[in-house]
Amino acid sequence: MNRSTAAVAYEYDAVIVGAGPNGLAAAITLAKQGLKVIVLEGASTPGGGMRTEELTLPGYRHDVCSAIHPMALASPFFQGLHLERFGVEWIHPERPLAHPLDGGEAVFLRRSVAQTAESLGSDASPYFRLMQKLVGKWDYIDREVLGPLSAPRRPFSLAWFGLHALWPAKAFLRTWFKEAPTRALLAGIAAHSTLPLEWMPSMSVGLVMGAVAHRYGWPLARGGSASITDGMVKVLESHGGRVQCDTWIHRWEDIPPSRLTLLDLHAHQFLKLAGHKLPWAYRRMLEGYRGGPSVFKLDYALSGPVPWRNAEVATSATVHLGGTLEEMCVSESRVWQGKVPSRPYVLVSQPSLFDSSRAPEGKHVLWAYCHVPRGCSVDMTEIIEAQIERFAPGFRELVLARSVMGPAAMEAHNPSYIAGDITGGALLLQQLFTRPVARLNPYSTPLPGVYLCSSSTPPGGGVHGMCGYHAALSAFRARFL
């Protein structure tokens, strides 16, 4: 412990601002080291993007943001939590992902690489070679992929991954695969990057999430994403930490003094909160940090299950509605051009098919969103529903109630979703590992003892806790070792 820090009496060793998955991850990591930790959360409940609420009708429980959690099981941080001991139950659908196509066809990603490949026609061999090798290398590259730049443990494995991952998805899929269903399946996964599929490194997300689906599945949590939050809070409390809600931090001076301050805040929130204390050069770099597109989200209370044209789509909790590779290229590119897509790529989650606690008996909930231009004010309800009807005719007849959240509403619900960007900043190549600024330690700031631990730091968005985990380890080592 540094003498300078030991000489001052603080009520807390570490104060964490924001109780999202990364804030809680940072708090748990520091509490495990024996530090006295408190997490300050402005909302009335913790969780950030892991909240479950009755957004439509009583008894219908909707995930406000995250619903499916592939990266949670793949995360080295989450693997060490053993959340099952704290009441979290993971549900694995029969197939992690369904991608309907026109004419009643659909392509599926299964847990088995071989079984998925068998359904892909002439693409069976290249798909198997690619994914089997990637799944086999995952244990050697997981911490490099899910963390800041560092000396790789297996440089050749990481180099192999990089040579494939840095491709634009459109060029990669056209080079590797011949069949339209195969291209569509992987394009839908790559589109989670929120980048145009003609841009580098959009394929990186497709490869990572595809490999994770085969290795760990794409599970949901019984009772909703809030159960993950509840489990993490229990872990924190078991190590002596605590969460204090209804505590908004409006000024820097509102943060209690402590040896360490970790901020689960968007980079631009940090700029607004502490800009007056930051050096000019660092402040300018934060100002140049680029946000990603917005999302427009709908939650539905339904009188029955979605009437998919292909009934097998009901075997997956996650459904991508984007049509062909070419359609998704147009859709995602239009978003970055500031235009509303007429046939958007829509991400759908249908959790109540697998978790009866989410809706009254015989009824269902559905979660759907699409990407829109940053800060877009266009109501996308009709456009999204037309895309659902395209693959599930008669869907509208089942709607009992809907909750509509455009970009402004998303930000109002969670201020870290600036302009409706749920990724903490665009996953551009220049922001892949240097988010939010180019710095040897991307989590540290020029303010002594102050660290960023949000999705504005590597590895970026998703429920994996690795931003908070890496930030906390970095802070602890610098301050106490």
Side-chain angles (χ1 to χ4, degrees):
M1 183 183 296
N2 293 343
R3 292 180 183 233
S4 59
T5 59
V8 180
Y10 293 106
E11 185 176 357
Y12 298 101
D13 297 311
V15 172
I16 317 296
V17 178
N22 285 307
L24 292 174
I28 291 169
T29 302
L30 293 174
K32 283 184 173 182
Q33 298 296 328
L35 272 60
K36 186 177 181 181
V37 178
I38 187 170
V39 183
L40 305 179
E41 169 59 43
S44 58
T45 57
M50 298 188 304
R51 294 190 185 128
T52 306
E53 299 177 5
E54 293 183 340
L55 297 175
T56 55
L57 299 173
Y60 293 81
R61 293 183 56 75
H62 306 272
D63 289 321
V64 181
C65 185
S66 64
I68 307 297
H69 301 283
M71 300 312 297
L73 294 191
S75 161
F77 167 75
F78 269 98
Q79 289 169 6
L81 287 191
H82 306 291
L83 286 176
E84 298 81 1
R85 301 175 186 171
F86 296 86
V88 177
E89 180 183 348
W90 299 106
I91 300 173
H92 288 272
E94 180 182 340
R95 294 162 173 162
L97 171 64
H99 190 115
L101 299 166
D102 289 320
E105 293 184 70
V107 59
F108 299 91
L109 189 149
R110 297 164 171 82
R111 285 292 299 274
S112 165
V113 176
Q115 289 178 358
T116 302
E118 288 170 3
S119 68
L120 300 178
S122 64
D123 288 330
S125 180
Y127 184 90
F128 182 83
R129 290 198 312 270
L130 174 68
M131 281 300 177
Q132 191 69 15
K133 191 167 186 178
L134 183 54
V135 171
K137 290 180 178 292
W138 182 256
D139 285 341
Y140 304 137
I141 64 173
D142 58 347
R143 290 182 182 271
E144 282 76 21
V145 171
L146 296 176
L149 278 174
S150 60
R153 295 169 295 169
R154 297 290 184 96
F156 292 109
S157 293
L158 188 62
W160 178 89
F161 171 75
L163 287 173
H164 294 78
L166 292 178
W167 279 61
K170 182 178 181 179
F172 183 93
L173 296 175
R174 283 183 166 179
T175 300
W176 271 75
F177 304 110
K178 298 177 180 179
E179 304 280 353
T182 311
R183 292 175 174 179
L185 176 69
L186 290 173
I189 304 174
H192 279 258
S193 68
T194 73
L195 295 175
L197 299 182
E198 297 87 353
W199 289 11
M200 301 168 63
S202 53
M203 197 60 217
S204 64
V205 173
L207 292 177
V208 167
M209 295 189 70
V212 165
H214 289 304
R215 179 69 183 271
Y216 300 101
W218 283 14
L220 58 149
R222 186 173 299 281
S225 297
S227 68
I228 305 173
T229 300
D230 294 341
M232 293 183 75
V233 171
K234 291 176 183 176
V235 173
L236 175 61
E237 291 173 344
S238 73
H239 291 281
R242 71 184 185 96
V243 178
Q244 180 176 304
C245 293
D246 296 307
T247 306
W248 290 103
I249 303 299
H250 298 291
R251 302 173 305 127
W252 185 257
E253 291 72 23
D254 294 336
I255 302 175
S258 63
R259 293 182 174 88
L260 291 174
T261 301
L262 280 80
L263 307 171
D264 186 9
L265 302 175
H266 190 286
H268 291 165
Q269 286 180 294
F270 175 50
L271 182 63
K272 183 177 180 180
L273 188 67
H276 62 291
K277 300 175 69 68
L278 298 172
W280 177 85
Y282 183 83
R283 190 169 65 243
R284 286 297 300 271
M285 287 191 288
L286 281 184
E287 290 170 351
Y289 182 64
R290 191 170 179 184
S294 305
V295 300
F296 188 100
K297 183 171 180 287
L298 296 168
D299 287 282
Y300 294 96
L302 303 177
S303 61
V306 177
W308 299 110
R309 196 184 297 275
N310 185 314
E312 290 186 89
V313 174
T315 63
S316 301
T318 304
V319 185
H320 291 163
L321 306 180
T324 64
L325 164 64
E326 290 71 25
E327 283 185 79
M328 285 179 279
C329 287
V330 171
S331 169
E332 297 304 282
S333 291
R334 284 184 65 86
V335 169
W336 279 82
Q337 294 164 6
K339 301 174 184 177
V340 171
S342 58
R343 275 189 157 185
Y345 160 71
V346 178
L347 295 93
V348 174
S349 170
Q350 43 185 2
S352 53
L353 290 175
F354 309 92
D355 179 4
S356 60
S357 72
R358 304 296 296 277
E361 185 176 357
K363 304 297 191 294
H364 288 275
V365 296
L366 193 77
W367 168 108
Y369 77 77
C370 73
H371 302 141
V372 294
R374 188 170 176 82
C376 176
S377 60
V378 176
D379 187 340
M380 296 291 290
T381 302
E382 288 296 320
I383 296 175
I384 290 175
E385 291 185 358
Q387 190 75 322
I388 299 175
E389 282 273 342
R390 172 184 171 187
F391 302 102
F395 164 76
R396 286 192 179 98
E397 298 172 12
L398 302 176
V399 176
L400 301 174
R402 64 173 63 80
S403 166
V404 179
M405 297 182 74
M410 293 294 290
E411 182 176 355
H413 189 86
N414 186 342
S416 290
Y417 296 158
I418 294 178
D421 170 15
I422 64 173
T423 62
L427 198 67
L428 300 169
L429 185 61
Q430 64 268 31
Q431 294 185 171
L432 196 58
F433 291 106
T434 58
R435 51 197 295 127
V437 300
R439 197 173 172 88
L440 284 177
N441 183 345
Y443 310 101
S444 68
T445 77
L447 303 182
V450 177
Y451 294 78
L452 283 173
C453 67
S454 70
S455 57
S456 290
T457 62
V463 177
H464 43 63
M466 294 298 287
C467 307
Y469 170 76
H470 285 298
L473 286 183
S474 172
F476 181 79
R477 290 165 181 162
R479 202 70 167 168
F480 291 97
L481 295 182

